[in-house]
Each structure stands twice: as C-alpha cells, then as structure tokens.
Amino acid sequence: MSAPFPLAPSLWAATAPAALPTPPIAEPATADVCVIGGGYAGLSTALHLAERGVRTILLEAREPGWGGSGRNGGQVIPGLKYDPDELEAMFGQERGGRLVAFAGATADAVFDLIAKHKMDVPHVREGWIQGAHTPASARTVAARAAQWEKRGASAAFLDKAETERHLGTRQYEASWIDRRGGAIQPLAYARELARVAVAAGATIHGDSPVASLARRDGRWIVTTRQGISVTADQVVLCTNGYTGDLVPKLRQSIIAPNSFQIATEPLSDNIRKSILPFGQVSSDTRQLLLYFRLDHEGRFLIGGRGPFREPTSAADWSHLERVVEKMFPQLKSVPIAYRWCGRVALTRDFLPHLHEPEPGLVIDIGCMGRGVGLQTAMGARLADYVATRNRDALPFPVLPIKPLPLHPLHKAYVSAIIAWYRLTDGGVKAAA
Ligand SMILES: Cc1cc2nc3c(=O)[nH]c(=O)nc-3n(C[C@H](O)[C@H](O)[C@H](O)COP(=O)(O)OP(=O)(O)OC[C@H]3O[C@@H](n4cnc5c(N)ncnc54)[C@H](O)[C@@H]3O)c2cc1C
C-alpha cells in the first residue's frame, strides 16, 4: 500500500484570515434548534435562526468550513443545473416560477450578506462565464442566456471571438455570461459566516462530531462522539458530501465524488492580463466540467473531477496540469503551488434534496457542486421553515429519502462514468 500523501494546506487555508475559536461542546446543553454541519448551509441556517432570536447550537465535526465550503472554487454562480424553462416544465408554472426566482437570486444572497455584515472576504462581482465545449453546447448556452435575459437577468451570449477575448483561451465554441455571478475566497466566507452567526447569538462548537440522533418525549437528543448531548426541539442536518450514517439510507441517496483543484503562485502582470482579463470566473459545459479563475492575488486555479478515492500522490492532480498546458500555454513553466480536493454531493435527479423523515428532523443535501450561493440562500429558507413550520418557505418539495440502487457499487460506477465522460466530452485541444 502506498504511503499516505502529505496533504499541504489548500490555497484557501493558506490565505484565509484566522478562524474564530469554536471549542468542542463540553457539557450537555439545550436549544430550540441543533444544526449539524458547519458549511455554508449549516452556518447560514444558524445565522438566520439566531437573527430571529431562536436559540441555536451548531455542532461541526472539525471546524467551520472544513468540508466543501472551505475547499471549493469560490465561484458564486446563480441558477441550478436545469434552465428556467425546464424548471417550470418540471415543477409547474407557479412552483417552478418561484423556484426560478429563488435560484436566480442565490448569488445576491452571498454578496448581500458580505455587504450587510461587512465581512472580511475577498470578493469580486464581474460575472460568471460558461464556455461551450461543442457546437451543440453553444446552442444550449445561447438558449440559456436568452431564458435568463427574458426573466430580467443581466446575461448575454458571447460568440467564439468574444469568448476568447474574455477567457484568454481558444478552447470554446462560444459561451454565455451571467453578470449576477462572481467570486469569493470560500474559506474566508465560511469563517466570516461563523463569526457573524456567533455575533447574532448562535453557539458554534467545532471538533464535535455527532454520533447519534434519538427522539425522546418529542425532543431530539443529539449526542457527540465524546458523549455530550444537545437536547433540541428540532434538528437541521447539513452534512452534504461528508454525510455519514446518522440517518438511515441518507448516505446511500447521494454519490459524493472528489473534485480536485490546483493553483499557482501569483502570476506576473503580463500573464495575469492574458487570462480572464475582465475579472470573471468560468466553468464549462462538459459533463466532467472544468472550472477556473484567478484569485484575489492573481493566482490561477483550476479544478475538475479526479479519482473517486482520496489522493495518494501529486500524480492524482496531473490530469489538471496537462489541461492547463493545453488551455493556457503561457502557464507551462509556472509551478503549481497548491493541490487539494473535496467532496461534492450528487443526487439522482441533479436537484438539491430536502427531507424530513421524522417530525423536526430537517435535511438539506445534494448541491451538485454549485453550493456557494445555493446553500447560503437555502440556509435562510431552512431557518424560515424551522421557525414558522410553513413549508411554503422551502424552495424544493420535501421528499422521502430514496437510496440509489446498487449504491455499494457506486465507486466503481462513478469511475466508469468518469472514464466514459472523458471519452465523450472530447479532450482539451492543444492551443493553436
Ligand atoms: C473542490 C470543490 C469545488 C467546488 N467549487 C464550487 C464553486 O466554485 N462554486 C459553487 O457554488 N460550489 C462549488 N462547490 C460546491 C460547494 O462547495 C458545496 O456545494 C457547498 O460548500 C456545500 O456546503 P454545505 O454546507 O452543504 O456542506 P459542507 O461545506 O461540505 O459542510 C458539511 C459539514 O458537515 C460536517 N459534518 C459531517 N458529518 C458530521 C457529523 N456527524 N457531525 C458534525 N458535523 C459533521 C463536515 O465536517 C462539514 O464541515 C465545490 C465543491 C468542492 C468540493
């Protein structure tokens, strides 16, 4: 067996402000609501509950932002995987229309919170560009831009030449720009959410992995691995790609593959000007999508799918290094300074799932690798629902938990799908 790969800190861990101390829970406590998981979903729920005066305790296994929320690409992208017309066809005009309005405003949720609480989070809001990797996907993004424009969003189709001018690569047939999008330093944002949630009155405990959930006399007993319990009227579970076995069949209802990222050190001014010169962030239409941007200090970073297992050596990121050389030859001799990865949660219908398997146990899971805006906005809705018990507060229907068929085989299945998509997506072309 190969030796474990010594994981260096991610770019975000190396550049985020220090975390607020969140000591483990040391003695039994009571609350109105216990939130499990300290990513954007849990932290936003805790913040919005505390702002309503609801007594809230959040238990996080490691530290706020340890999961996807501290590891992601920091691209703030409104919308879901489905286009507005598709959502209205799936959910009906009325519910679908509300869902489109919710999905279209998820980036606002992030930038509004940053402004409202004067958060110390490097951010920029110049838009998100989705590159189309084939002529067929160029038609798809043209329709996507038109659908969002029709609903009042600041969006536009970019032809091949305009796409190249905005991205700095000839890889794409066309693209669309959604000016509602932007970028944040993701771990800084998670840590700031934790700070403002505590300032609003929430209690947050790190290093407090929840080991069991039990219902007694109409209340929930949430017990950590250290044997300390929180007694609460309601529980909100937000463990997403890091979901374990607290709730039967929940882990089996998602697939949680790893997404891998690499980043350079700050680029020279000349090179910096040649990539995303107008400050947008970008991802593409591939099934195994590539996402890339510059950070607030001019480092280039790019991410994409890698092995399902945890990485064992730097070679597990080499596919991304090859992509960089082809897409941006000017980066060929720029060394890679950071390599990291994290788990995303995918559902069978590519929609986020809400569950309430028992009264007062509310679950939010599955954000398809697009959770910065979504989970921030979802936290506000979850808080609204838990405080009022009005299901209209929730953007998605509450569904029973359905395990995926043959879930034990999912690692092999995902590896096969990744290999298939690598073939069908077509390779990244070498720059002409
Ligand atoms: C590499 C990568 C790149 C991504 N890029 C983007 C992007 O650019 N834009 C975008 O919008 N989205 C992106 N995403 C997705 C986004 O990061 C996630 O959707 C979002 O962070 C999920 O937030 P969350 O709060 O639901 O879950 P998480 O942030 O994963 O938080 C779950 C938390 O639950 C805790 N937990 C688990 N079990 C327990 C337990 N038993 N007790 C207590 N705590 C527990 C974990 O420690 C973890 O901190 C990316 C994800 C990854 C991994």
Side-chain angles (χ1 to χ4, degrees):
M1 214 172 97
S2 55
F5 180 61
L7 270 178
S10 73
L11 164 61
W12 309 129
T15 61
L20 182 84
T22 48
I25 186 163
E27 50 189 43
T30 56
D32 299 323
V33 180
C34 180
V35 177
I36 304 173
Y40 303 140
L43 293 165
S44 173
T45 305
L47 166 64
H48 288 95
L49 282 172
E51 284 181 337
R52 286 169 169 264
V54 177
R55 289 180 312 141
T56 306
I57 296 179
L58 184 151
L59 299 175
E60 159 56 44
R62 312 290 275 267
E63 63 171 291
W66 180 86
S69 299
R71 302 162 186 246
N72 63 70
Q75 301 202 13
V76 190
I77 307 171
L80 298 166
K81 290 284 175 191
Y82 296 98
D83 291 331
D85 288 356
E86 289 173 314
L87 290 170
E88 286 176 7
M90 286 159 91
F91 290 90
Q93 198 67 35
E94 199 273 324
R95 174 148 217 153
R98 279 195 284 136
L99 186 47
V100 170
F102 167 81
T106 56
D108 292 342
V110 173
F111 293 111
D112 289 353
L113 273 185
I114 290 176
K116 176 178 169 191
H117 296 283
K118 300 189 172 47
M119 290 182 183
D120 181 13
V121 178
H123 62 281
V124 56
R125 195 173 190 182
E126 295 292 343
W128 165 68
I129 295 177
Q130 187 178 33
H133 72 293
T134 61
S137 55
R139 290 190 289 279
T140 303
V141 299
R144 189 164 292 156
Q147 288 181 34
W148 278 116
E149 263 191 295
K150 199 175 94 188
R151 289 165 177 85
S154 176
F157 175 75
L158 304 180
D159 65 13
K160 192 170 172 59
E162 272 301 289
T163 300
E164 182 182 340
R165 199 167 76 85
H166 278 77
L167 300 184
T169 174
R170 292 186 182 163
Q171 282 300 315
Y172 297 104
E173 299 294 329
S175 65
W176 75 291
I177 179 167
D178 185 336
R179 295 192 185 83
R180 299 168 298 182
I184 54 164
Q185 206 287 20
L187 182 59
Y189 177 55
R191 289 183 174 172
E192 282 292 85
L193 271 177
R195 181 182 65 75
V196 300
V198 168
T203 302
I204 299 182
H205 293 291
D207 295 317
S208 302
V210 175
S212 72
L213 277 175
R215 196 159 154 77
R216 207 177 299 146
D217 302 329
R219 302 197 81 194
W220 286 96
I221 317 295
V222 183
T223 307
T224 65
R225 201 177 293 155
Q226 296 93 330
I228 314 281
S229 295
V230 174
T231 303
D233 297 329
Q234 300 187 70
V235 170
V236 183
L237 186 83
C238 303
T239 49
N240 206 46
Y242 292 88
T243 296
D245 292 320
L246 276 178
V247 174
K249 300 188 184 140
L250 185 62
R251 187 171 58 78
Q252 291 77 11
S253 73
I254 57 156
I255 292 178
N258 252 328
S259 183
F260 282 59
Q261 281 180 88
I262 54 176
T264 65
E265 284 298 9
L267 303 172
S268 69
D269 281 351
N270 269 350
I271 297 186
R272 206 181 285 194
K273 278 187 224 145
S274 69
I275 301 170
L276 291 160
F278 310 115
Q280 285 90 21
V281 294
S282 185
S283 55
D284 68 23
T285 49
R286 289 183 164 82
Q287 298 286 356
L288 298 180
L289 64 84
L290 291 167
Y291 49 99
F292 54 93
R293 56 173 283 202
L294 299 182
D295 81 347
H296 57 291
E297 290 169 337
R299 299 174 185 86
F300 174 80
L301 59 133
I302 185 166
R305 204 55 52 78
F308 193 94
R309 56 171 171 74
E310 290 303 310
T312 52
S313 81
D316 286 327
W317 284 266
S318 55
H319 60 295
L320 288 173
E321 291 175 48
R322 287 193 296 273
V323 165
V324 174
E325 282 185 20
K326 287 182 181 165
M327 282 176 77
F328 300 103
Q330 64 271 49
L331 295 176
K332 195 168 179 157
S333 53
V334 177
I336 301 303
Y338 302 94
R339 296 176 175 83
W340 74 101
C341 63
R343 294 202 176 267
V344 298
L346 311 179
T347 60
R348 74 164 84 199
D349 57 8
F350 300 104
L351 283 168
H353 285 180
L354 298 176
H355 308 292
E356 192 166 4
E358 293 186 59
L361 171 58
V362 181
I363 300 169
D364 162 30
I365 192 165
C367 44
M368 310 299 129
R370 199 184 275 193
V372 177
L374 176 72
Q375 295 299 61
T376 301
M378 190 74 93
R381 298 299 190 96
L382 289 168
D384 195 0
Y385 173 58
V386 163
T388 63
R389 301 298 303 171
N390 178 359
R391 279 211 172 165
D392 286 346
L394 297 174
F396 297 93
V398 177
L399 300 171
I401 300 171
K402 270 201 195 160
L404 288 156
L406 303 178
H407 191 268
L409 302 178
H410 70 285
K411 285 183 192 161
Y413 174 72
V414 170
S415 303
I417 298 235
I418 289 176
W420 169 249
Y421 281 155
R422 282 228 162 94
L423 282 174
T424 54
D425 274 343
V428 172
K429 293 164 270 185

